[in-house]
Amino acid sequence: MSTATAVKADQEEEDTTTDVTTAVSVMENGSRPNSQRVVNLAPCDPPPDVIFAPQTQRLEQSRLSSPTMSSTTERQPLLRNSVSDHETEHNYFNTFEDDPEFTRIVQSAERAISLEVYPERIYQGSSGSYFVRNAEAQQPGKIIAVFKPKSEEPYGQLNPKWSKWLQKMCCPCCFGRGCLVLNQGYLSEAGAYLVDRKLSLDIVPKTRVVKLASETFNYSAIDRAKSKTKKFTYDKFQTLGKHFHRLGLPPKTGSFQLFVSGYKDADYWLRRFDSESLPESTAKIFQLQFEKLVCLDYIIRNTDRGNDNWLIKYEKSEVDETDGDDSDWSIVKPPDIKIAAIDNGLAFPFKHPNEWRTYPYHWAWLQQAKKPFSDEIRDHVLPLLSDMNFVEELVYELYELFSEDKGFDKALFEKQMSVLRGQILNLSQALRDRKSPVNLVQMPLVVVEKKNDGPGRVRHLSDTFTQSFQNNVAFFKCC
């Protein structure tokens, strides 16, 4: 009985394995598989009228039309893949997920450079800086940003200003600032915007660190020769050129600050305000904007704040009369005034200036600096600066920014932050005592050192702070 059952089961299994099953799958270079319908026939079912067979003609056509099997693609050099990888890495560096609008502006500048709308060098200043333009159809050639590469800073090897190079070589004691970290001006520009954003001051144009390459930048003869040689080799000998990692000039790292239009040097408007008094409401707005500038410069200890490197935008009131003949009403546009703090590349010193010059704040001689801090700025800034967790979070974000530099020195950074904490301590005390900016700059210089394992966002109970005063001052106190 059991033997007959086993024989019957074996016979059914053999019949099942003879079912008609047809499947076609093509899998080459990531292409999707093309499969036919699978038909299973039971042993008792009659044979089908139509049996599905592999469509070899369609498969051959798909194989011939596949881009990976194309004969023209096989003859193309492999440099395209390596260049695209480099461009992907370059674009990733210039991509800011938290700010899509800024990313779009940087990409617009890159498109303009690819269309030979090159940045234009700014001949003022001690470093190589450039006006970056766009190539949009609406406003072609419009200045959209100012780019300051690291390699063209005053102490950079590719500084294009020969007068500064001559000054550095012939009179090094009068060149540069001994209290600043060398070749970190681009980080100082971005750091000033970070402090401005954390305090919601809104006076520093948006500034981030990007990478750009352009023919108008100052490159060494070796870099230009290598670029020309690679391009010639790639055009003439593709079998050799396909091994190059990158074509063109190497991109430069630097600060990318959005350009602000309608502003003029503060010195221009300050002279006008001496003869033409501002309306009371506008003067109050300007005073608040000025106090924001004071807070920013004092916290970052800006050593180069003259009246020529901060801007003022002043739009007088306008009267827009209505078209109606019977109407005596008119729309009056109130005056608008705003400050833009640019040129923040000489800030964040690792010690207070104590050698030849003190590098004072030139706004301290203005009439606005003699007025006590307003209640608006006290209510806006003092609660933040009094919170040590906020201060340490600010220090941590500056650490993340500054540590991107290849020459980052953690010991020097800690000294920079010691000066910054001391400046915040003095500013907080001046705001509590309702002092004026003039009284603020006359306060004793303080350095607050932190003793712990490293920077962090939150203050811990194990953190200890040591406060010390700097008594030695620079030889010249007025410059």
Side-chain angles (χ1 to χ4, degrees), residues 64-90:
L64 293 176
S65 62
S66 176
T68 58
M69 298 299 294
S70 175
S71 58
T72 57
T73 306
E74 289 179 352
R75 292 194 294 266
Q76 291 180 357
L78 298 178
L79 179 63
R80 181 183 302 275
N81 293 334
S82 61
V83 173
S84 62
D85 293 340
H86 175 76
E87 290 177 352
T88 302
E89 179 183 358
H90 174 61

PDB file of all heavy atoms in Angstrom, residues 64-90:
ATOM      1  N   LEU A  64      21.857  45.932 -29.098  1.00  0.00           N
ATOM      2  CA  LEU A  64      22.578  46.837 -29.992  1.00  0.00           C
ATOM      3  C   LEU A  64      22.318  48.292 -29.649  1.00  0.00           C
ATOM      4  O   LEU A  64      23.173  49.144 -29.837  1.00  0.00           O
ATOM      5  CB  LEU A  64      22.164  46.565 -31.447  1.00  0.00           C
ATOM      6  CG  LEU A  64      22.598  45.210 -32.014  1.00  0.00           C
ATOM      7  CD1 LEU A  64      22.048  45.042 -33.411  1.00  0.00           C
ATOM      8  CD2 LEU A  64      24.120  45.087 -32.012  1.00  0.00           C
ATOM      9  N   SER A  65      21.106  48.606 -29.171  1.00  0.00           N
ATOM     10  CA  SER A  65      20.782  49.985 -28.828  1.00  0.00           C
ATOM     11  C   SER A  65      21.213  50.373 -27.436  1.00  0.00           C
ATOM     12  O   SER A  65      21.059  51.517 -27.033  1.00  0.00           O
ATOM     13  CB  SER A  65      19.270  50.216 -28.944  1.00  0.00           C
ATOM     14  OG  SER A  65      18.583  49.373 -28.032  1.00  0.00           O
ATOM     15  N   SER A  66      21.767  49.456 -26.648  1.00  0.00           N
ATOM     16  CA  SER A  66      22.201  49.770 -25.294  1.00  0.00           C
ATOM     17  C   SER A  66      23.382  50.714 -25.334  1.00  0.00           C
ATOM     18  O   SER A  66      24.327  50.519 -26.096  1.00  0.00           O
ATOM     19  CB  SER A  66      22.600  48.490 -24.564  1.00  0.00           C
ATOM     20  OG  SER A  66      23.112  48.799 -23.289  1.00  0.00           O
ATOM     21  N   PRO A  67      23.406  51.796 -24.528  1.00  0.00           N
ATOM     22  CA  PRO A  67      24.523  52.740 -24.571  1.00  0.00           C
ATOM     23  C   PRO A  67      25.830  52.124 -24.137  1.00  0.00           C
ATOM     24  O   PRO A  67      26.884  52.566 -24.537  1.00  0.00           O
ATOM     25  CB  PRO A  67      24.077  53.862 -23.613  1.00  0.00           C
ATOM     26  CG  PRO A  67      23.053  53.224 -22.732  1.00  0.00           C
ATOM     27  CD  PRO A  67      22.385  52.206 -23.567  1.00  0.00           C
ATOM     28  N   THR A  68      25.790  51.095 -23.298  1.00  0.00           N
ATOM     29  CA  THR A  68      27.031  50.485 -22.865  1.00  0.00           C
ATOM     30  C   THR A  68      27.661  49.638 -23.945  1.00  0.00           C
ATOM     31  O   THR A  68      28.858  49.381 -23.918  1.00  0.00           O
ATOM     32  CB  THR A  68      26.772  49.620 -21.624  1.00  0.00           C
ATOM     33  OG1 THR A  68      25.780  48.631 -21.960  1.00  0.00           O
ATOM     34  CG2 THR A  68      26.256  50.463 -20.481  1.00  0.00           C
ATOM     35  N   MET A  69      26.855  49.194 -24.917  1.00  0.00           N
ATOM     36  CA  MET A  69      27.369  48.373 -25.992  1.00  0.00           C
ATOM     37  C   MET A  69      27.632  49.170 -27.249  1.00  0.00           C
ATOM     38  O   MET A  69      27.993  48.630 -28.278  1.00  0.00           O
ATOM     39  CB  MET A  69      26.360  47.252 -26.304  1.00  0.00           C
ATOM     40  CG  MET A  69      26.110  46.301 -25.152  1.00  0.00           C
ATOM     41  SD  MET A  69      27.598  45.445 -24.628  1.00  0.00           S
ATOM     42  CE  MET A  69      27.898  44.460 -26.083  1.00  0.00           C
ATOM     43  N   SER A  70      27.393  50.481 -27.182  1.00  0.00           N
ATOM     44  CA  SER A  70      27.585  51.307 -28.370  1.00  0.00           C
ATOM     45  C   SER A  70      29.049  51.379 -28.743  1.00  0.00           C
ATOM     46  O   SER A  70      29.923  51.547 -27.897  1.00  0.00           O
ATOM     47  CB  SER A  70      27.029  52.719 -28.114  1.00  0.00           C
ATOM     48  OG  SER A  70      27.307  53.561 -29.190  1.00  0.00           O
ATOM     49  N   SER A  71      29.299  51.236 -30.034  1.00  0.00           N
ATOM     50  CA  SER A  71      30.689  51.286 -30.497  1.00  0.00           C
ATOM     51  C   SER A  71      31.278  52.665 -30.348  1.00  0.00           C
ATOM     52  O   SER A  71      32.473  52.836 -30.100  1.00  0.00           O
ATOM     53  CB  SER A  71      30.750  50.847 -31.966  1.00  0.00           C
ATOM     54  OG  SER A  71      29.919  51.690 -32.766  1.00  0.00           O
ATOM     55  N   THR A  72      30.435  53.719 -30.491  1.00  0.00           N
ATOM     56  CA  THR A  72      30.961  55.074 -30.335  1.00  0.00           C
ATOM     57  C   THR A  72      31.329  55.355 -28.891  1.00  0.00           C
ATOM     58  O   THR A  72      32.286  56.070 -28.615  1.00  0.00           O
ATOM     59  CB  THR A  72      29.903  56.087 -30.801  1.00  0.00           C
ATOM     60  OG1 THR A  72      28.710  55.874 -30.043  1.00  0.00           O
ATOM     61  CG2 THR A  72      29.602  55.913 -32.280  1.00  0.00           C
ATOM     62  N   THR A  73      30.563  54.779 -27.966  1.00  0.00           N
ATOM     63  CA  THR A  73      30.885  54.989 -26.560  1.00  0.00           C
ATOM     64  C   THR A  73      32.170  54.290 -26.182  1.00  0.00           C
ATOM     65  O   THR A  73      32.934  54.782 -25.355  1.00  0.00           O
ATOM     66  CB  THR A  73      29.731  54.471 -25.686  1.00  0.00           C
ATOM     67  OG1 THR A  73      28.516  55.071 -26.115  1.00  0.00           O
ATOM     68  CG2 THR A  73      29.973  54.802 -24.220  1.00  0.00           C
ATOM     69  N   GLU A  74      32.426  53.147 -26.790  1.00  0.00           N
ATOM     70  CA  GLU A  74      33.644  52.428 -26.465  1.00  0.00           C
ATOM     71  C   GLU A  74      34.890  53.206 -26.887  1.00  0.00           C
ATOM     72  O   GLU A  74      35.950  53.084 -26.286  1.00  0.00           O
ATOM     73  CB  GLU A  74      33.628  51.059 -27.154  1.00  0.00           C
ATOM     74  CG  GLU A  74      32.617  50.096 -26.539  1.00  0.00           C
ATOM     75  CD  GLU A  74      32.621  48.774 -27.249  1.00  0.00           C
ATOM     76  OE1 GLU A  74      33.294  48.670 -28.295  1.00  0.00           O
ATOM     77  OE2 GLU A  74      31.973  47.835 -26.765  1.00  0.00           O
ATOM     78  N   ARG A  75      34.730  54.003 -27.955  1.00  0.00           N
ATOM     79  CA  ARG A  75      35.887  54.744 -28.421  1.00  0.00           C
ATOM     80  C   ARG A  75      36.085  56.058 -27.676  1.00  0.00           C
ATOM     81  O   ARG A  75      37.062  56.753 -27.887  1.00  0.00           O
ATOM     82  CB  ARG A  75      35.742  55.028 -29.918  1.00  0.00           C
ATOM     83  CG  ARG A  75      35.841  53.782 -30.787  1.00  0.00           C
ATOM     84  CD  ARG A  75      36.029  54.168 -32.229  1.00  0.00           C
ATOM     85  NE  ARG A  75      34.862  54.856 -32.759  1.00  0.00           N
ATOM     86  CZ  ARG A  75      33.861  54.249 -33.409  1.00  0.00           C
ATOM     87  NH1 ARG A  75      33.893  52.944 -33.591  1.00  0.00           N
ATOM     88  NH2 ARG A  75      32.842  54.939 -33.867  1.00  0.00           N
ATOM     89  N   GLN A  76      35.126  56.463 -26.816  1.00  0.00           N
ATOM     90  CA  GLN A  76      35.253  57.691 -26.063  1.00  0.00           C
ATOM     91  C   GLN A  76      36.233  57.503 -24.915  1.00  0.00           C
ATOM     92  O   GLN A  76      36.293  56.434 -24.321  1.00  0.00           O
ATOM     93  CB  GLN A  76      33.893  58.132 -25.497  1.00  0.00           C
ATOM     94  CG  GLN A  76      32.924  58.580 -26.578  1.00  0.00           C
ATOM     95  CD  GLN A  76      31.600  59.006 -25.998  1.00  0.00           C
ATOM     96  OE1 GLN A  76      31.423  58.907 -24.790  1.00  0.00           O
ATOM     97  NE2 GLN A  76      30.698  59.479 -26.827  1.00  0.00           N
ATOM     98  N   PRO A  77      37.007  58.556 -24.566  1.00  0.00           N
ATOM     99  CA  PRO A  77      37.978  58.424 -23.475  1.00  0.00           C
ATOM    100  C   PRO A  77      37.275  58.315 -22.136  1.00  0.00           C
ATOM    101  O   PRO A  77      36.145  58.757 -21.967  1.00  0.00           O
ATOM    102  CB  PRO A  77      38.797  59.713 -23.580  1.00  0.00           C
ATOM    103  CG  PRO A  77      37.881  60.692 -24.243  1.00  0.00           C
ATOM    104  CD  PRO A  77      37.040  59.890 -25.194  1.00  0.00           C
ATOM    105  N   LEU A  78      37.971  57.736 -21.189  1.00  0.00           N
ATOM    106  CA  LEU A  78      37.417  57.534 -19.848  1.00  0.00           C
ATOM    107  C   LEU A  78      37.596  58.739 -18.958  1.00  0.00           C
ATOM    108  O   LEU A  78      37.223  58.704 -17.797  1.00  0.00           O
ATOM    109  CB  LEU A  78      38.075  56.315 -19.194  1.00  0.00           C
ATOM    110  CG  LEU A  78      37.841  54.985 -19.913  1.00  0.00           C
ATOM    111  CD1 LEU A  78      38.585  53.883 -19.178  1.00  0.00           C
ATOM    112  CD2 LEU A  78      36.374  54.659 -20.026  1.00  0.00           C
ATOM    113  N   LEU A  79      38.161  59.831 -19.483  1.00  0.00           N
ATOM    114  CA  LEU A  79      38.368  61.017 -18.646  1.00  0.00           C
ATOM    115  C   LEU A  79      37.056  61.618 -18.201  1.00  0.00           C
ATOM    116  O   LEU A  79      36.969  62.227 -17.153  1.00  0.00           O
ATOM    117  CB  LEU A  79      39.188  62.065 -19.419  1.00  0.00           C
ATOM    118  CG  LEU A  79      39.473  63.372 -18.696  1.00  0.00           C
ATOM    119  CD1 LEU A  79      40.328  63.079 -17.459  1.00  0.00           C
ATOM    120  CD2 LEU A  79      40.161  64.362 -19.595  1.00  0.00           C
ATOM    121  N   ARG A  80      36.012  61.408 -18.992  1.00  0.00           N
ATOM    122  CA  ARG A  80      34.720  61.987 -18.628  1.00  0.00           C
ATOM    123  C   ARG A  80      34.271  61.543 -17.251  1.00  0.00           C
ATOM    124  O   ARG A  80      33.750  62.300 -16.453  1.00  0.00           O
ATOM    125  CB  ARG A  80      33.684  61.615 -19.681  1.00  0.00           C
ATOM    126  CG  ARG A  80      32.296  62.173 -19.418  1.00  0.00           C
ATOM    127  CD  ARG A  80      31.333  61.692 -20.472  1.00  0.00           C
ATOM    128  NE  ARG A  80      31.761  62.071 -21.804  1.00  0.00           N
ATOM    129  CZ  ARG A  80      31.480  63.254 -22.358  1.00  0.00           C
ATOM    130  NH1 ARG A  80      30.798  64.143 -21.668  1.00  0.00           N
ATOM    131  NH2 ARG A  80      31.884  63.528 -23.569  1.00  0.00           N
ATOM    132  N   ASN A  81      34.509  60.274 -16.925  1.00  0.00           N
ATOM    133  CA  ASN A  81      34.097  59.777 -15.617  1.00  0.00           C
ATOM    134  C   ASN A  81      34.888  60.421 -14.500  1.00  0.00           C
ATOM    135  O   ASN A  81      34.351  60.836 -13.488  1.00  0.00           O
ATOM    136  CB  ASN A  81      34.261  58.255 -15.570  1.00  0.00           C
ATOM    137  CG  ASN A  81      33.299  57.556 -16.515  1.00  0.00           C
ATOM    138  OD1 ASN A  81      32.235  58.098 -16.826  1.00  0.00           O
ATOM    139  ND2 ASN A  81      33.675  56.383 -16.990  1.00  0.00           N
ATOM    140  N   SER A  82      36.210  60.542 -14.674  1.00  0.00           N
ATOM    141  CA  SER A  82      37.031  61.119 -13.619  1.00  0.00           C
ATOM    142  C   SER A  82      36.751  62.596 -13.438  1.00  0.00           C
ATOM    143  O   SER A  82      36.698  63.100 -12.328  1.00  0.00           O
ATOM    144  CB  SER A  82      38.516  60.903 -13.932  1.00  0.00           C
ATOM    145  OG  SER A  82      38.855  61.553 -15.152  1.00  0.00           O
ATOM    146  N   VAL A  83      36.529  63.312 -14.544  1.00  0.00           N
ATOM    147  CA  VAL A  83      36.221  64.731 -14.425  1.00  0.00           C
ATOM    148  C   VAL A  83      34.880  64.930 -13.746  1.00  0.00           C
ATOM    149  O   VAL A  83      34.705  65.814 -12.901  1.00  0.00           O
ATOM    150  CB  VAL A  83      36.247  65.385 -15.824  1.00  0.00           C
ATOM    151  CG1 VAL A  83      35.771  66.822 -15.737  1.00  0.00           C
ATOM    152  CG2 VAL A  83      37.655  65.340 -16.404  1.00  0.00           C
ATOM    153  N   SER A  84      33.894  64.087 -14.109  1.00  0.00           N
ATOM    154  CA  SER A  84      32.591  64.234 -13.475  1.00  0.00           C
ATOM    155  C   SER A  84      32.675  63.951 -11.982  1.00  0.00           C
ATOM    156  O   SER A  84      31.994  64.572 -11.178  1.00  0.00           O
ATOM    157  CB  SER A  84      31.590  63.285 -14.136  1.00  0.00           C
ATOM    158  OG  SER A  84      31.996  61.937 -13.957  1.00  0.00           O
ATOM    159  N   ASP A  85      33.520  62.989 -11.579  1.00  0.00           N
ATOM    160  CA  ASP A  85      33.691  62.736 -10.151  1.00  0.00           C
ATOM    161  C   ASP A  85      34.272  63.947  -9.452  1.00  0.00           C
ATOM    162  O   ASP A  85      33.834  64.313  -8.360  1.00  0.00           O
ATOM    163  CB  ASP A  85      34.607  61.532  -9.947  1.00  0.00           C
ATOM    164  CG  ASP A  85      33.965  60.240 -10.443  1.00  0.00           C
ATOM    165  OD1 ASP A  85      32.718  60.228 -10.581  1.00  0.00           O
ATOM    166  OD2 ASP A  85      34.705  59.272 -10.704  1.00  0.00           O
ATOM    167  N   HIS A  86      35.251  64.583 -10.077  1.00  0.00           N
ATOM    168  CA  HIS A  86      35.838  65.777  -9.460  1.00  0.00           C
ATOM    169  C   HIS A  86      34.831  66.913  -9.418  1.00  0.00           C
ATOM    170  O   HIS A  86      34.729  67.626  -8.418  1.00  0.00           O
ATOM    171  CB  HIS A  86      37.080  66.211 -10.244  1.00  0.00           C
ATOM    172  CG  HIS A  86      37.679  67.496  -9.763  1.00  0.00           C
ATOM    173  ND1 HIS A  86      38.436  67.584  -8.611  1.00  0.00           N
ATOM    174  CD2 HIS A  86      37.609  68.762 -10.262  1.00  0.00           C
ATOM    175  CE1 HIS A  86      38.829  68.826  -8.428  1.00  0.00           C
ATOM    176  NE2 HIS A  86      38.327  69.567  -9.420  1.00  0.00           N
ATOM    177  N   GLU A  87      34.069  67.070 -10.512  1.00  0.00           N
ATOM    178  CA  GLU A  87      33.069  68.126 -10.514  1.00  0.00           C
ATOM    179  C   GLU A  87      31.999  67.851  -9.467  1.00  0.00           C
ATOM    180  O   GLU A  87      31.481  68.778  -8.834  1.00  0.00           O
ATOM    181  CB  GLU A  87      32.448  68.231 -11.903  1.00  0.00           C
ATOM    182  CG  GLU A  87      33.415  68.791 -12.957  1.00  0.00           C
ATOM    183  CD  GLU A  87      32.778  68.811 -14.332  1.00  0.00           C
ATOM    184  OE1 GLU A  87      31.664  68.260 -14.455  1.00  0.00           O
ATOM    185  OE2 GLU A  87      33.392  69.361 -15.257  1.00  0.00           O
ATOM    186  N   THR A  88      31.672  66.578  -9.272  1.00  0.00           N
ATOM    187  CA  THR A  88      30.692  66.243  -8.241  1.00  0.00           C
ATOM    188  C   THR A  88      31.199  66.620  -6.862  1.00  0.00           C
ATOM    189  O   THR A  88      30.472  67.192  -6.041  1.00  0.00           O
ATOM    190  CB  THR A  88      30.378  64.742  -8.298  1.00  0.00           C
ATOM    191  OG1 THR A  88      29.886  64.422  -9.599  1.00  0.00           O
ATOM    192  CG2 THR A  88      29.350  64.370  -7.249  1.00  0.00           C
ATOM    193  N   GLU A  89      32.469  66.320  -6.591  1.00  0.00           N
ATOM    194  CA  GLU A  89      33.047  66.701  -5.300  1.00  0.00           C
ATOM    195  C   GLU A  89      33.107  68.212  -5.156  1.00  0.00           C
ATOM    196  O   GLU A  89      32.821  68.761  -4.088  1.00  0.00           O
ATOM    197  CB  GLU A  89      34.449  66.109  -5.186  1.00  0.00           C
ATOM    198  CG  GLU A  89      35.164  66.458  -3.894  1.00  0.00           C
ATOM    199  CD  GLU A  89      36.576  65.908  -3.852  1.00  0.00           C
ATOM    200  OE1 GLU A  89      36.974  65.219  -4.818  1.00  0.00           O
ATOM    201  OE2 GLU A  89      37.267  66.176  -2.860  1.00  0.00           O
ATOM    202  N   HIS A  90      33.462  68.915  -6.248  1.00  0.00           N
ATOM    203  CA  HIS A  90      33.543  70.375  -6.212  1.00  0.00           C
ATOM    204  C   HIS A  90      32.164  70.987  -5.987  1.00  0.00           C
ATOM    205  O   HIS A  90      31.997  71.909  -5.192  1.00  0.00           O
ATOM    206  CB  HIS A  90      34.156  70.870  -7.518  1.00  0.00           C
ATOM    207  CG  HIS A  90      34.157  72.364  -7.673  1.00  0.00           C
ATOM    208  ND1 HIS A  90      34.817  73.199  -6.793  1.00  0.00           N
ATOM    209  CD2 HIS A  90      33.583  73.177  -8.592  1.00  0.00           C
ATOM    210  CE1 HIS A  90      34.662  74.455  -7.170  1.00  0.00           C
ATOM    211  NE2 HIS A  90      33.901  74.456  -8.261  1.00  0.00           N
TER     212      HIS A  90
END
